[in-house]
Amino acid sequence: MTKDIDIRKLAQSFFDAIEAGDIETMQNSFTPDAEIWHNTDELIVSPAQTAQTLTGMVKRIKNRRYADRRLSVYPGGFVQQHVLTGRRVEDDIEVRLPCAIICKIENGKITRLDEYFDSAHVAAFRKYA
């Protein structure tokens, strides 16, 4: 079983990597067969598909920051609430995305990620996609 401190380090590293645009580190946080689910489309996608989506987001959104991180660890995973903020490259408009993430962890890797966010905020992030 992964210890609480290891889960906290994984969560920190995962979100820090996305902030920094380090998609490789983000993708390596998952097991190869991990499932990523989003409440807005209710589809399960792979780590590779998630990497592709986040690569596009990194190109479109600068000054990314996971603000107001509230991390709760439980045996085998974590829940984090945060507000992803940034500025659209195209028009320099500030955007924000309140979100909650639930992750299952096995052997130091994410095996499942469930992401909950308000679709109205997603439109601002994808305006120039």
Side-chain angles (χ1 to χ4, degrees):
M1 179 186 294
T2 306
K3 295 180 181 180
D4 284 3
I5 193 161
D6 295 328
I7 293 173
R8 287 183 182 285
K9 286 180 184 177
L10 175 62
Q12 180 80 35
S13 171
F14 179 78
F15 291 106
D16 286 354
I18 299 168
E19 273 186 349
D22 182 355
I23 302 305
E24 183 178 354
T25 295
M26 180 280 308
Q27 189 171 356
N28 288 334
S29 299
F30 290 106
T31 59
D33 61 345
E35 297 179 338
I36 297 97
W37 178 86
H38 306 108
N39 72 304
T40 55
D41 59 15
E42 298 187 46
L43 298 176
I44 293 174
V45 298
S46 69
Q49 290 167 304
T50 298
Q52 183 178 10
T53 298
L54 290 176
T55 296
M57 189 268 293
V58 163
K59 289 178 182 175
R60 290 187 313 277
I61 306 297
K62 63 184 178 179
N63 303 329
R64 292 167 307 282
R65 184 169 167 254
Y66 285 96
D68 304 323
R69 296 185 195 193
R70 294 176 308 281
L71 179 65
S72 298
V73 173
Y74 62 88
F78 69 86
V79 175
Q80 179 169 295
Q81 293 174 269
H82 56 252
V83 179
L84 174 58
T85 62
R87 297 189 82 78
R88 287 193 306 238
V89 170
E90 185 74 24
D91 58 9
D92 205 38
I93 297 294
E94 186 172 337
V95 292
R96 61 189 304 277
L97 181 62
C99 191
I101 305 283
I102 302 169
C103 287
K104 290 183 182 177
I105 309 294
E106 290 180 18
N107 299 317
K109 299 275 187 172
I110 300 169
T111 60
R112 173 135 181 141
L113 183 150
D114 293 297
E115 184 172 55
Y116 296 87
F117 46 75
D118 181 346
S119 60
H121 287 90
V122 174
F125 270 77
R126 294 186 178 160
K127 182 173 181 179
Y128 293 103

